[in-house]
């Protein structure tokens, strides 16, 4: 049986160059956001702002824990808290930059920060408490980021890949914290 020649009217897989060029010229003020952006931008910006708040709360909590642990001569743990705090800050910066790329505004307002954040700010009474609270916060971030990644799917692959990178680091953080608890026999 002879193979059918590609019938007329079949949509080609790739957009033709002429259409691509014409489309790119429209709404150039939207920068990286082009006509083929398939996610709901407002929703993505809102989710990213919640993640930004989560990261900021984590920076604050880890920094508090860093200084408190240093004060009770738990230098190794204090140093690890600082490493985590700085990594959370990098996540916050990455997320804020992506929000701007998506034509949104990063929300750094202290007002409502804890409500926007998924993770909580718990000071902890002692070293073990601090580590446990950090672990809980990491586990919250892991779950919410994973959900966000699933939502993004292939609709916004750049944001998805960024969040996948951040998720991998939160998993490392959680793993570090479990290791600390084990070392302390808790
Ligand atoms: Fe983070
Ligand atoms: Fe983390």
């Amino acid at each position: 049986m002879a193979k059918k020649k590609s019938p007329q009217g079949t949509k080609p897989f790739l957009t033709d160059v002429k259409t691509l060029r014409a489309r790119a010229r429209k709404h150039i003020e939207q920068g990286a956001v082009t006509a083929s952006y398939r996610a709901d931008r407002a929703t993505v910006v809102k989710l990213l702002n919640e993640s930004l708040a989560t990261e900021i709360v984590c920076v604050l909590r880890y920094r508090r824990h860093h200084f408190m642990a240093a004060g009770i001569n738990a230098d190794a743990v204090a140093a690890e808290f600082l490493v985590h705090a700085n990594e959370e800050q990098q996540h916050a910066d990455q997320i804020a930059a992506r929000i701007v790329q998506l034509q949104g505004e990063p929300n750094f307002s202290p007002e409502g920060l804890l409500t926007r954040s998924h993770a909580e700010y718990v000071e902890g009474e002692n070293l073990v408490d601090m580590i446990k609270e950090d672990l809980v916060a990491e586990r919250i971030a892991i779950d919410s980021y994973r959900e966000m990644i699933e939502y993004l799917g292939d609709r916004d692959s750049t944001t998805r890949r960024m969040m996948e990178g951040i998720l991998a680091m939160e998993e490392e953080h959680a793993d570090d914290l479990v290791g600390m608890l084990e070392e302390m026999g808790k």
Side-chain angles (χ1 to χ4, degrees), residues 80-152:
E80 195 62 31
F81 285 159
L82 185 60
V83 170
H84 286 200
N86 291 337
E87 285 171 347
E88 310 299 14
Q89 183 63 60
Q90 287 168 17
H91 298 163
D93 292 345
Q94 276 179 276
I95 292 168
R98 183 59 182 160
I99 291 173
V100 172
Q101 253 186 2
L102 291 174
Q103 310 295 308
E105 289 183 19
N107 190 346
F108 280 95
S109 173
E111 202 168 275
L113 181 65
L114 267 178
T115 319
R116 293 194 302 279
S117 165
H118 297 136
E120 295 167 293
Y121 180 90
V122 182
E123 294 182 338
E125 296 285 315
N126 52 51
L127 202 57
V128 172
D129 263 10
M130 291 183 218
I131 299 172
K132 282 184 178 167
E133 285 305 332
D134 292 331
L135 180 54
V136 168
E138 294 291 354
R139 287 168 58 81
I140 292 170
I142 288 168
D143 266 352
S144 70
Y145 293 170
R146 194 174 283 132
E147 255 183 51
M148 194 173 158
I149 288 161
E150 275 170 27
Y151 167 78
L152 290 164

Side-chain angles (χ1 to χ4, degrees), residues 55 58 62 84 88 91 138 141 169-170 173-174:
E55 295 293 346
C58 289
Y62 271 126
H84 286 200
E88 310 299 14
H91 298 163
E138 294 291 354
M169 288 194 71
E170 311 306 2
H173 289 170

